Amino acid sequence: GKSNIVPPSNLPLASVGAFILWFGWFGFNSGSTLSATNGSIGHIAVTTMLAASAGGAACILFTMFRYKKADPPMVINGSLAGLVGITAVCSFLSDQAAIIIGAFCGVMMVLDTEFLESRRVDDPVGAFAVHGISGSLVALAVGLFAKPELTKGIGQEYYGLFYGGGWHLLGVQALGLVIISLWGFALTWGSLWLIKRVMPVRVSKDEELIGLDVGIHGVPAYNQDHDFLDLELLKARK
C-alpha cells in the first residue's frame, strides 16, 4: 500500500555504467550536433562536461541538505540529467549557462523523483525524471540561452530571450515540446492498449517477486543472499 525504494543490485557497476554513458556523450554531442569537423566541437565538449558535472555536484549538495546524506543513486542520475539537459543546446550557449542548466536539471530530477514516488508511479530507475523532465527543460532552455555569437547566420529571431532575441524562439520550442509530448503520450498509450488486448502487459506477482531473470532465463542475475542489510535486526540490536 505504499511506495518502496528498490535497492540497486550493484552500485559500483551502476556508477561505472554512468561514467561509460558520460564518456559516450562526448561523441554523441560533439560528433552529431553539428559535425565532427565543425570548429565548435571543442566548445560542445566543454559545455557537455560542465553540465554533467554541475548536475552531479548539485545533486550531492541538494541531497545532503534534504536527506542529511549524499544519495549515490541520485548523484548518478543527477549527472545524467545534466547530460540530457545540455544536449539540445550544447553548441549554442555559454559555459556559464551550461553550468546553470546542468545544476537546475539535477535538482529538478530529485524533486520529480520524489513527486512520482508520492503519486505511486512506477519509475524504478528514474527514467522520466532524468529524460522527460531534463529533456523538456532543455527544449525551453534553447529559447532562453541561445547565444548570438554561436548562432551566426541563423537570424536574430533565433537568439535566446536573454540575448535580445525576443519570444519567437522560445515560443517555437514550447510549441514543439507540447506537440512531441502529446504525440509520444498518444502513441505509447495506444500501443500499450493494443498489446494489452492481445496479451498481458504486466507479469504475474510471483514473477515480480522472484525476478524476470529467473522467470525468463531460468537463472538469477546475481546472488542476493548477503547483498542487503536487515534494518529491523540492526535497530533491535541497538
Side-chain angles (χ1 to χ4, degrees):
K2 64 179 182 179
S3 299
N4 295 289
I5 302 298
V6 179
S9 61
N10 193 313
L11 192 54
L13 278 183
S15 303
V16 171
F19 279 114
I20 292 173
L21 273 172
W22 191 330
F23 181 75
W25 227 286
F26 289 115
F28 178 62
N29 278 2
S30 303
S32 67
T33 301
L34 298 173
S35 72
T37 58
N38 191 281
S40 297
I41 189 170
H43 175 71
I44 294 171
V46 169
T47 56
T48 299
M49 184 69 184
L50 289 174
S53 302
C59 266
I60 291 174
L61 297 174
F62 190 65
T63 55
M64 286 180 69
F65 171 79
R66 200 167 182 81
Y67 310 136
K68 310 306 179 186
K69 290 183 177 66
D71 187 318
M74 283 287 194
V75 174
I76 290 172
N77 275 358
S79 298
L80 297 181
L83 287 166
V84 173
I86 196 63
T87 296
V89 73
C90 58
S91 60
F92 300 122
L93 83 171
S94 67
D95 297 347
Q96 294 81 359
I99 295 172
I100 293 170
I101 290 172
F104 188 66
C105 287
V107 172
M108 289 302 297
M109 182 278 304
V110 176
L111 296 176
D112 184 65
T113 299
E114 291 181 354
F115 174 75
L116 292 178
E117 289 172 359
S118 71
R119 304 303 298 173
R120 299 176 65 187
V121 175
D122 190 13
D123 186 12
V125 297
F128 180 78
V130 171
H131 294 275
I133 295 299
S134 297
S136 300
L137 290 173
V138 72
L140 300 177
V142 173
L144 296 173
F145 292 102
K147 199 173 180 182
E149 304 93 273
L150 301 172
T151 54
K152 290 179 179 177
I154 299 179
Q156 186 171 353
E157 67 273 20
Y158 292 106
Y159 295 169
L161 177 65
F162 295 157
Y163 292 94
W167 296 91
H168 175 78
L169 181 57
L170 184 60
V172 170
Q173 293 297 112
L175 177 62
L177 176 60
V178 171
I179 292 173
I180 289 173
S181 298
L182 291 174
W183 174 82
F185 177 83
L187 190 63
T188 302
W189 187 89
S191 299
L192 290 173
W193 183 84
L194 288 173
I195 293 170
K196 193 174 180 180
R197 304 284 292 182
V198 178
M199 61 186 295
V201 174
R202 187 156 195 160
V203 299
S204 67
K205 184 177 180 179
D206 289 339
E207 286 181 302
E208 284 187 346
L209 292 171
I210 295 171
L212 291 183
D213 45 356
V214 176
I216 294 176
H217 303 292
V219 61
Y222 49 87
N223 186 349
Q224 291 181 306
D225 290 346
H226 307 291
D227 280 358
F228 305 120
L229 299 174
D230 188 335
L231 296 180
E232 294 301 323
L233 180 60
L234 290 175
K235 288 179 182 177
R237 286 179 177 176
K238 288 181 180 179

